[in-house]
Amino acid sequence: MKRLGVWTVLLCALLLAGCSANAGEDGDYPRRDVNGVVQWGAGGGTDTLMRPLAALAEKNLGRSIVIQNMTGAAGSVATQYVYDGAADGYTLLMGAENPALYDVLGISELTYEDFTCVYLLGDETVGVAVGKDSPYQSLAELIAAAREKPETVKLSTTGKGGLPWEVGAFLTDVTGATFLQIPYDSDATAKLAVLDGECDFTVCKVQAGLEDYRAGELRFLCMLSDESFPAMPEVPPITVEYPAFADYLPWGPFYGVFVKNGTDAAVMEALSRAFFEAGPDEEYQKLLSGLHIRFLGYTGEDAARYIEAWRENTVNALRRSGAIEE
């Protein structure tokens, strides 16, 4: 009986030690370096934003955030990789808006509903742009030409699901105009098609078109915004000519840090706090300003509401325009 009592005590001690270790794993997070998976290639727009943000956040965490670029299938390769891992806060998805539409575009069954947003960094404004020799002096003129001769005004896109394709669907939904869409392999080549006169217009991020605009090679007819854009105050918001666009605004590419659903609340709190304190850094804010990114800095419910509204507005417009099926 005495020997049984000794083994019982030892067994209880081992069980208690195991429980303490598990509790420590959550309570002492992070106990090892964190992996940050960027959906796009090194040096791209998302990568340029995430690397310095991670460097600031890791100071708050006390552990390194090791960036890994994982490209392919509109970011879905990286998204699947993070989803297939453990929901332990040690693998972060650092991405853009694309997963919000994966399911309706047939890219993947995953969406941001399968992830929790740690930090919604910001979004950026886009505009409808034409070449310097374009006959169209306003969006209304371009729309009128497209309505008069459907499928003749050429829109350069990056294919289904890309930014110009999405905005083209918005324009169809609001105005009824339809366009001849010409796909290119990147935002850069889609813009070049307009600069060279191969296509009539495209949709550009400000950071991608600003230098061509300042050089007089590219003209922005409007910005997808309900207010003037500081870097281009003379370019009208789209709501000046088409007030109905207000229902879709604010809209533009957005960037955030995510973890798989089911991540422990204490881990989420530690991550959110680390990024929330990193975002307002003065030098980082200068970077965002230089790239014309609108800083949001959302966590928790604020981030979730933004993404939900973005998805709802975009999906509804795509369905009404006929770009995707009901």
Side-chain angles (χ1 to χ4, degrees), residues 224-307:
L224 262 72
S225 174
D226 55 5
E227 57 186 20
S228 296
F229 189 72
M232 303 176 180
E234 65 280 5
V235 179
I238 195 168
T239 49
V240 171
E241 291 181 309
Y242 296 98
F245 254 98
D247 292 341
Y248 305 114
L249 302 174
W251 189 91
F254 64 80
Y255 305 93
V257 179
F258 302 82
V259 291
K260 183 179 177 179
N261 283 350
T263 300
D264 183 82
V267 173
M268 277 295 305
E269 182 180 355
L271 282 168
S272 294
R273 182 171 61 250
F275 281 94
F276 185 78
E277 293 175 357
D281 176 82
E282 184 177 353
E283 289 302 313
Y284 190 66
Q285 288 293 314
K286 289 181 181 178
L287 171 67
L288 296 181
S289 179
L291 294 173
H292 303 285
I293 304 296
R294 183 175 71 119
F295 178 62
L296 297 175
Y298 293 164
T299 59
E301 288 300 316
D302 290 335
R305 279 193 295 268
Y306 176 101
I307 295 171

Side-chain angles (χ1 to χ4, degrees), residues 175-244:
T175 70
T178 57
F179 315 99
L180 178 60
Q181 299 201 17
I182 312 295
Y184 293 83
D185 61 4
S186 69
D187 289 332
T189 52
K191 181 184 70 173
L192 184 61
V194 171
L195 293 174
D196 289 346
E198 294 176 12
C199 291
D200 295 295
F201 77 108
T202 192
V203 179
C204 251
K205 298 176 183 177
V206 169
Q207 61 172 296
L210 185 58
E211 292 308 311
D212 295 297
Y213 171 79
R214 287 173 173 168
E217 297 298 317
L218 197 67
R219 288 192 290 111
F220 279 82
L221 300 183
C222 68
M223 308 305 294
L224 262 72
S225 174
D226 55 5
E227 57 186 20
S228 296
F229 189 72
M232 303 176 180
E234 65 280 5
V235 179
I238 195 168
T239 49
V240 171
E241 291 181 309
Y242 296 98

Side-chain angles (χ1 to χ4, degrees), residues 40-68:
W40 309 101
T46 305
D47 184 72
T48 299
L49 293 172
M50 292 303 172
R51 285 182 182 271
L53 179 63
L56 292 167
E58 68 184 14
K59 295 177 182 178
N60 300 326
L61 281 176
R63 293 282 183 173
S64 295
I65 299 177
V66 182
I67 298 297
Q68 177 184 3

Side-chain angles (χ1 to χ4, degrees), residues 24-265:
E25 180 69 22
D26 291 335
D28 297 336
Y29 173 89
R31 301 184 67 181
R32 62 181 188 271
D33 289 347
V34 175
N35 188 26
V37 180
V38 176
Q39 289 176 325
W40 309 101
T46 305
D47 184 72
T48 299
L49 293 172
M50 292 303 172
R51 285 182 182 271
L53 179 63
L56 292 167
E58 68 184 14
K59 295 177 182 178
N60 300 326
L61 281 176
R63 293 282 183 173
S64 295
I65 299 177
V66 182
I67 298 297
Q68 177 184 3
N69 296 94
M70 190 175 293
T71 62
S76 65
V77 172
T79 304
Q80 188 70 53
Y81 175 83
V82 175
Y83 182 80
D84 288 342
D88 57 8
Y90 286 98
T91 306
L92 311 178
L93 178 63
M94 300 178 133
E97 76 284 353
N98 310 77
L101 299 176
Y102 281 166
D103 57 339
V104 297
L105 297 180
I107 294 173
S108 168
E109 293 182 359
L110 296 175
T111 73
Y112 276 139
E113 293 179 356
D114 299 295
F115 296 83
T116 304
C117 186
V118 171
Y119 191 62
L120 190 62
L121 171 59
D123 58 19
E124 59 183 315
T125 304
V126 301
V128 176
V130 299
K132 64 179 180 180
D133 297 323
S134 171
Y136 307 117
Q137 300 301 312
S138 68
L139 179 61
E141 289 184 11
L142 186 148
I143 294 299
R147 287 175 63 97
E148 183 178 353
K149 296 182 178 180
E151 304 292 328
T152 57
V153 174
K154 296 178 182 178
L155 166 61
S156 62
T157 77
T158 52
K160 184 177 182 179
L163 174 65
W165 179 87
E166 290 173 346
V167 175
F170 290 174
L171 292 170
T172 296
D173 179 39
V174 172
T175 70
T178 57
F179 315 99
L180 178 60
Q181 299 201 17
I182 312 295
Y184 293 83
D185 61 4
S186 69
D187 289 332
T189 52
K191 181 184 70 173
L192 184 61
V194 171
L195 293 174
D196 289 346
E198 294 176 12
C199 291
D200 295 295
F201 77 108
T202 192
V203 179
C204 251
K205 298 176 183 177
V206 169
Q207 61 172 296
L210 185 58
E211 292 308 311
D212 295 297
Y213 171 79
R214 287 173 173 168
E217 297 298 317
L218 197 67
R219 288 192 290 111
F220 279 82
L221 300 183
C222 68
M223 308 305 294
L224 262 72
S225 174
D226 55 5
E227 57 186 20
S228 296
F229 189 72
M232 303 176 180
E234 65 280 5
V235 179
I238 195 168
T239 49
V240 171
E241 291 181 309
Y242 296 98
F245 254 98
D247 292 341
Y248 305 114
L249 302 174
W251 189 91
F254 64 80
Y255 305 93
V257 179
F258 302 82
V259 291
K260 183 179 177 179
N261 283 350
T263 300
D264 183 82

